[in-house]
Amino acid sequence: MPQTGPLSALTEDQTGREGCPANATATTVENPPQTVVPQETAPARPAAAEPAPSATTADEPALPAATLTDETETAPPAALTPAAGAESTSPSPPSPVTERPAPRSHTVVTKELAHRTAETDVFPARWTRISDTRFRFTAHWPAAHPFFGPVDDRHQDPMIVGETLRQASMVLAHAEFGAPADTHFVMWDLTVRVDPAALLLADAAEPVEFDVVCSEVRRRGRGLHSMRTTMEFRRAGRLVARGTGSTGCTSPRAYRRLRAGKLNALDTPVPLLAGIAPQTAGRARAEDVVLAPADRPGVWNLRVDTGHPVLFPRPNDHVPGMVLFEAARQAATAASGLHPFLPGRMTAEFARYAELHSPCRIETEVLEDHPGEVTVRVSGRQDGALVFTAGLTSARPARVRSLS
């Protein structure tokens, strides 16, 4: 895959359907209880057949240590640390894990484990545990999806890679690392590298196999405090993408203490701003636009639609990280003027929660440091403070010379 520049945060789609009117008042932010995880038996594979995601070849550059965000929370690690003496437990240092043999059975991914409300929004389908820290997933990336749909007549949406990584990270946190059903998650950083030439609509019927390595695992008692997941995605034997991100966990009690003032404002409707033209943002539908006009070129206001079924699958007390991720992608598209804008590299880091009831400005800087590529740096600011930074790099389409 070609080397490219940085990225943004993740997203989903909400349009006031399924009984969720746009920017209606919210009533709860608790995660739903998890259901029993069904098992599917599967034939065993020899251990030697399981490649490590970190392995690289000469023509496949290694993935740098990363950055990510998640539908649950987008706050810095410090935001998950309670005040001194507030909790009796504290993060323990990373503990060594043993590579003992794992049972050879497939475990089905449910929408509850993936923190989605619709089955069609769940992309990982099942997984097998290879060892204490290694897993193999099968996923499906549909040719058509209400939000993660094709970006042109040839390519699937590269953002589906980040969303799959996000979902798989939460699945493993719950099912393999003991995070309780009511855990609140925060993904602090994300890096994704995609080969757009391998992300073709023509291959959408093929399942996606991806290997996961979990590292930097920190425990809180028998549960999970935080970990990093690193993934490698292949379809029909071809490398499609690599990604990595770090996930933190906090209990409902700690979250209520951290967000008490904002939870009390859940009944206040969020103003729905008029969006920019869908074509400018690289979207096909007006309801999927997350940018609103601002006072100067290269700057937009964040447009928050709390009724969007993918971006806000359940009520929330802050802007989900996937909304910020999509805002960065749309801002990069609008600022660069590339249609389609096909990011080969995306990165994001999140400094604090993006609040629902305060304007958030999305600012961009377009860089052309390398021939044939354009990189857009994106930042989000709210009340004078930095919320997130992101970077996305796309190849410029080759110019076609006239024969006349």
Side-chain angles (χ1 to χ4, degrees):
M1 281 187 294
Q3 301 243 16
T4 48
L7 153 127
S8 87
L10 25 105
T11 62
E12 298 172 2
D13 162 31
Q14 335 254 320
T15 53
R17 295 185 294 273
E18 298 181 0
C20 296
N23 290 13
T25 57
T27 57
T28 179
V29 295
E30 295 299 329
N31 293 326
Q34 306 301 329
T35 57
V36 175
V37 181
Q39 297 280 338
E40 291 180 349
T41 58
R45 297 187 187 185
E50 309 296 349
S54 56
T56 58
T57 61
D59 60 342
E60 296 172 358
L63 186 71
T67 49
L68 161 67
T69 33
D70 161 276
E71 148 248 327
T72 45
E73 330 297 352
T74 55
L80 293 183
T81 304
E87 281 198 331
S88 59
T89 57
S90 59
S92 58
S95 57
V97 286
T98 57
E99 297 284 331
R100 67 174 182 267
R104 296 294 178 166
S105 63
H106 286 146
T107 310
V108 175
V109 175
T110 65
K111 65 181 188 293
E112 290 83 10
L113 285 174
H115 285 223
R116 305 304 301 160
T117 56
E119 297 285 357
T120 53
D121 294 337
V122 179
F123 301 126
R126 60 188 181 274
W127 82 94
T128 300
R129 182 164 66 87
I130 307 304
S131 74
D132 284 354
T133 57
R134 292 176 181 266
F135 307 88
R136 169 163 291 177
F137 278 76
T138 298
H140 297 286
W141 292 341
H145 185 270
F147 190 79
F148 296 98
V151 295
D152 58 12
D153 59 357
R154 293 188 60 229
H155 299 92
Q156 292 190 269
D157 187 353
M159 301 290 279
I160 202 170
V161 178
E163 174 63 5
T164 304
L165 187 153
R166 184 186 73 86
Q167 292 182 16
S169 297
M170 290 188 294
V171 167
L172 292 177
H174 282 307
E176 299 285 355
F177 290 91
D182 55 0
T183 297
H184 292 267
F185 291 96
V186 53
M187 301 193 83
W188 299 317
D189 59 76
L190 169 70
T191 292
V192 176
R193 282 187 177 178
V194 181
D195 179 4
L199 197 61
L200 300 178
L201 282 170
D203 299 328
E206 291 281 347
V208 177
E209 301 285 338
F210 64 100
D211 293 305
V212 184
V213 170
C214 299
S215 60
E216 303 172 25
V217 178
R218 294 177 180 267
R219 295 287 187 179
R220 179 183 283 117
R222 294 184 178 181
L224 180 66
H225 174 266
S226 60
M227 71 175 178
R228 174 171 295 280
T229 50
T230 301
M231 306 185 188
E232 185 172 277
F233 300 82
R234 293 179 181 271
R235 186 159 60 182
R238 181 176 182 180
L239 180 67
V240 177
R242 291 191 177 100
T244 183
S246 56
T247 304
C249 307
T250 189
S251 68
R253 183 181 66 172
Y255 188 78
R256 285 192 296 268
R257 185 172 59 249
L258 178 69
R259 299 288 296 166
K262 302 303 178 183
L263 291 173
N264 293 336
L266 279 173
D267 291 335
T268 305
V270 180
L272 181 59
L273 305 178
I276 64 175
Q279 295 77 13
T280 303
R283 303 298 312 194
R285 306 187 308 172
E287 55 263 42
D288 295 333
V289 172
V290 297
L291 300 179
D295 53 1
R296 59 186 175 87
V299 178
W300 294 269
N301 291 313
L302 184 66
R303 179 179 184 265
V304 178
D305 179 0
T306 60
H308 196 287
V310 181
L311 295 175
F312 281 83
R314 61 180 61 84
N316 214 326
D317 66 308
H318 63 275
V319 180
M322 64 183 310
V323 178
L324 302 179
F325 196 45
E326 177 65 12
R329 188 262 289 270
Q330 292 187 18
T333 302
S336 68
L338 292 184
H339 296 89
F341 185 89
L342 281 171
R345 176 178 165 89
M346 306 178 281
T347 65
E349 294 186 356
F350 296 83
R352 64 185 66 245
Y353 293 105
E355 306 298 349
L356 292 171
H357 299 95
S358 181
C360 183
R361 287 173 64 85
I362 308 298
E363 302 175 351
T364 59
E365 179 185 8
V366 180
L367 306 174
E368 300 196 46
D369 297 334
H370 302 285
E373 288 184 353
V374 57
T375 295
V376 183
R377 292 178 181 171
V378 185
S379 62
R381 294 183 178 274
Q382 194 171 58
D383 299 323
L386 182 67
V387 174
F388 76 95
T389 58
L392 300 91
T393 298
S394 174
R396 285 193 175 277
R399 294 181 178 177
V400 179
R401 294 182 179 180
S402 172
L403 298 179
S404 57

